[in-house]
Amino acid sequence: ATSQILLQRGNIGDAQQVLEKIIRIAPKASHEVYFSLSELVEGEDALRALETGVLIANRTLSRYRDVEKNQPHAPWREETIDKARELEHTLARAHCSITEIYLAEMGHLPDSLPKALHHASQAISYDPNTFETHVALSTVHHTSGNRTAAQKTMLAAFDATDRQDANQPTAYGSLISGIRLGMDLGLFTESLKLLRKMQEDQESELADPQVWHLSAQCLFMLKDYSAALNDMYTTKQLLERKEFLDEMNADILQDVKEWIQETRNAHPELKGDCMNLDDESDENQGDGWRGDLEHRNARARIETLEAQG
């Protein structure tokens, strides 16, 4: 509890010292301590913390499973089963993190790729209905050059989003990185479907420009140039909001403007509803982008339904 308070206050160094002190006093007490410590350190230190936490968590899980299997009438059985499912999900995430470290440390740690493959497979064995676990395995296959296996596993990741426990949602950053991997593997239709769902779930005031940027790229690769132009135009509008205007996004915004202009020049036949809006009129629209975004959201949903039909 003390370490969590310190983390909330931004005292990372002090939180690390508290966790390390707990481990010195009771090295086998709790997997949670090791998993928390792994988030504060890097490389081999993080790896050691995660692997120790996994060993402790597995012993706890064995006790839970023993109750589930051998004590059918125990009054605490249902609660124990719930704890087991939650711990399985925690172990899956831990194995995903171990996989990421082995991939990042290739060339520094021996047998990194085989170990990454092992831990990614373990992640799926603990939680086969999670987007993140399949993405981890797909990443390993992609890194090893097995594109066919990477595509197959990534398709399983997209399918898992329909089965995933609503109480264990995938982290937003993991969704984005998984979609990027899907696009790298040429799975543009599947990536677009998940991006459309993310767009529908986001309030217009909280819309993320990178989601629209990615959907525009998918549509372009699918040769739906009109829809791609519309989504890229929405990206431009969102990036021009004050809260997104920083140095990095300014570079992206410039790239987006150039892409829009190049696409207009290459496809003058397009009839997209953004075609009649020049840059000068954009600047004078003020908050008019909100209504325009709602219109594009509705249009995107219609296009998705038409494609499915």
Side-chain angles (χ1 to χ4, degrees):
T2 303
S3 62
Q4 292 299 320
I5 293 172
L6 290 170
L7 283 175
Q8 291 172 2
R9 293 176 178 175
N11 299 331
I12 296 175
D14 291 341
Q16 181 179 336
Q17 290 179 12
V18 169
L19 293 170
E20 290 172 343
K21 183 177 181 180
I22 293 172
I23 290 171
R24 285 195 300 271
I25 296 171
K28 298 180 181 180
S30 170
H31 63 272
E32 295 174 345
V33 175
Y34 286 94
F35 290 159
S36 296
L37 179 61
S38 73
E39 296 176 0
L40 304 181
V41 294
E42 298 178 349
E44 294 185 52
D45 291 334
L47 185 61
R48 281 192 294 269
L50 284 164
E51 290 179 336
T52 304
V54 165
L55 289 174
I56 296 172
N58 270 321
R59 287 197 287 267
T60 304
L61 182 60
S62 294
R63 293 196 297 270
Y64 290 161
R65 287 175 171 172
D66 181 69
V67 171
E68 182 179 356
K69 181 179 179 180
N70 300 317
Q71 301 182 42
H73 303 297
W76 53 83
R77 183 173 182 272
E78 291 302 319
E79 180 182 354
T80 302
I81 291 174
D82 290 340
K83 289 181 178 179
R85 299 295 88 80
E86 184 176 348
L87 187 52
E88 286 169 351
H89 185 75
T90 299
L91 278 162
R93 289 203 311 269
H95 280 287
C96 286
S97 297
I98 293 172
T99 300
E100 291 177 6
I101 293 173
Y102 274 118
L103 291 177
E105 297 293 329
M106 283 179 61
H108 301 286
L109 296 175
D111 301 319
S112 293
L113 200 55
K115 289 179 179 178
L117 179 61
H118 167 75
H119 285 285
S121 300
Q122 285 290 101
I124 291 178
S125 72
Y126 282 112
D127 196 346
N129 296 321
T130 300
F131 181 79
E132 186 178 1
T133 58
H134 292 282
V135 169
L137 183 56
S138 181
T139 302
V140 176
H141 288 315
H142 189 42
T143 302
S144 66
N146 191 341
R147 184 177 176 85
T148 300
Q151 288 175 324
K152 181 179 179 180
T153 311
M154 195 62 222
L155 286 171
F158 286 122
D159 289 340
T161 59
D162 296 326
R163 306 188 305 273
Q164 189 158 336
D165 185 351
N167 295 320
Q168 300 285 359
T170 301
Y172 189 80
S174 296
L175 282 173
I176 294 295
S177 60
I179 288 169
R180 289 185 185 277
L181 175 60
M183 292 170 64
D184 286 343
L185 293 169
L187 303 176
F188 300 109
T189 299
E190 294 78 9
S191 298
L192 179 61
K193 179 181 176 182
L194 184 52
L195 288 164
R196 288 301 192 219
K197 185 178 185 303
M198 293 173 71
Q199 289 165 353
E200 291 174 4
D201 291 343
Q202 291 178 352
E203 298 291 337
S204 61
E205 289 78 5
L206 302 175
D208 182 359
Q210 69 176 325
V211 174
W212 290 88
H213 195 195
L214 291 171
S215 66
Q217 294 174 51
C218 286
L219 288 161
F220 187 84
M221 296 305 297
L222 293 169
K223 301 187 185 304
D224 190 343
Y225 302 120
S226 179
L229 190 58
N230 278 311
D231 279 20
M232 195 63 83
Y233 194 81
T234 298
T235 305
K236 173 180 175 292
Q237 288 181 302
L238 291 171
L239 285 170
E240 288 173 336
R241 291 162 56 185
K242 291 180 180 179
E243 57 265 42
F244 287 120
L245 281 179
D246 56 29
E247 185 174 348
M248 182 177 69
N249 282 334
D251 292 338
I252 297 173
L253 177 59
Q254 185 58 39
D255 290 341
V256 167
K257 289 181 177 180
E258 291 175 2
W259 187 95
I260 290 173
Q261 191 58 52
E262 289 172 2
T263 303
R264 283 174 167 173
N265 294 339
H267 300 278
E269 75 283 359
L270 294 180
K271 302 295 183 182
D273 55 2
C274 67
M275 296 295 288
N276 296 324
L277 299 174
D278 57 26
D279 289 340
E280 184 177 348
S281 63
D282 298 341
E283 294 172 359
N284 294 329
Q285 283 181 0
D287 288 339
W289 65 270
R290 287 191 174 87
D292 198 28
L293 177 56
E294 291 299 328
H295 170 71
R296 295 177 200 285
N297 261 320
R299 175 172 177 160
R301 288 193 287 271
I302 293 171
E303 289 171 351
T304 301
L305 290 171
E306 289 176 344
Q308 293 173 347

